[in-house]
Amino acid sequence: PGGWAAGAAPSSTNSQPAVHEASMLPAPKLIAAPVSAPNKTVSADMLAQLAQSASTKLRLGDLIGAINAATSAIDAGATDARLFVDRAEAYNRTKQYQKAYNDAVQAVRTDPSSARAWQNLAWSQLKLRRFHEALMAAEEAVKRNPDDATNFAVRAYAKEVLGNRKGAMADLESAALLNRRFREKLVAAKDGAKIYDPNEDSTLGDTVASAAS
């Protein structure tokens, strides 16, 4: 859709068009080029170690360390979608949403089957106030991994902002069924609380942590 051009305002319509991955992807110019040329002297084993280091650091909450490890691997020529997903999540969790968006798009381009890539794309779009796009990306995340409560939660947030309270409540109920950590938010929503406020200072880490079993 045209809203994927850089800086374009979200559509004002509340109708939800069918999702087409190819049409959802922004122009390649939105993907930042590496600062330096790939280092061809880095071995495949070293790239694998850097990728593993990025994943481990992300899991342990060392977000800057994860970004640095993933960046080292990417600058050395690694193209594995998981690296871009890990770095996108670390960027999302450190509120660097444009960088998260760029990495998530790259991950989706490389591996459209990655639910985490779509989830991180949706979250960055929510924070960049690209709400219709966020909803479409969240739809893809749910489709690829319907067992992840966070995917339903992120889709609920997008629906809430777009005025679909009923749909948002249904998704929040699905999230709560999959993971009890969302039950408190569901109870509050049933009492009239907002499911998601685009002005709140939350990160993807808050949502993922709330879903941790």
Side-chain angles (χ1 to χ4, degrees):
W4 281 72
S11 169
S12 60
T13 177
N14 284 334
S15 61
Q16 302 306 327
V19 176
H20 300 288
E21 292 171 7
S23 65
M24 288 181 60
L25 298 179
K29 66 182 179 181
L30 293 179
I31 308 303
V35 174
S36 58
N39 182 357
K40 300 299 184 181
T41 64
V42 176
S43 68
D45 285 346
M46 179 58 72
L47 289 179
Q49 290 177 21
L50 287 169
Q52 182 59 48
S53 176
S55 180
T56 299
K57 289 178 184 297
L58 179 64
R59 187 174 67 253
L60 295 176
D62 180 4
L63 303 179
I64 300 304
I67 290 171
N68 290 339
T71 299
S72 294
I74 291 167
D75 286 350
T79 58
D80 190 331
R82 289 173 297 180
L83 276 167
F84 287 96
V85 175
D86 283 345
R87 193 169 69 171
E89 183 171 328
Y91 279 142
N92 267 328
R93 293 170 66 177
T94 53
K95 304 181 183 181
Q96 300 180 71
Y97 300 119
Q98 186 61 51
K99 290 181 178 180
Y101 171 82
N102 289 346
D103 274 358
V105 169
Q106 184 61 48
V108 165
R109 287 181 181 276
T110 305
D111 181 10
S113 69
S114 172
R116 278 185 64 222
W118 287 106
Q119 180 188 106
N120 276 277
L121 179 59
W123 188 261
S124 67
Q125 289 166 330
L126 274 176
K127 289 301 185 177
L128 294 171
R129 308 186 79 86
R130 301 168 73 154
F131 301 130
H132 285 88
E133 297 165 26
L135 176 58
M136 290 189 288
E139 294 276 7
E140 295 296 325
V142 170
K143 182 168 69 175
R144 284 161 174 77
N145 187 0
D147 296 323
D148 186 343
T150 300
N151 290 336
F152 282 97
V154 174
R155 190 170 69 175
Y157 301 163
K159 288 180 178 179
E160 171 90 343
V161 175
L162 291 171
N164 183 0
R165 176 73 175 188
K166 182 177 180 180
M169 287 296 295
D171 275 345
L172 188 57
E173 287 178 356
S174 294
L177 285 172
L178 286 166
N179 194 301
R180 58 184 176 81
R181 298 294 181 92
F182 284 107
R183 292 176 186 171
E184 183 177 348
K185 181 178 282 290
L186 177 61
V187 170
K190 287 181 176 180
D191 287 338
K194 285 186 177 181
I195 294 173
Y196 174 74
D197 181 350
N199 298 314
E200 70 183 11
D201 190 27
S202 60
T203 70
L204 180 64
D206 297 331
T207 301
V208 172
S210 71
S213 56

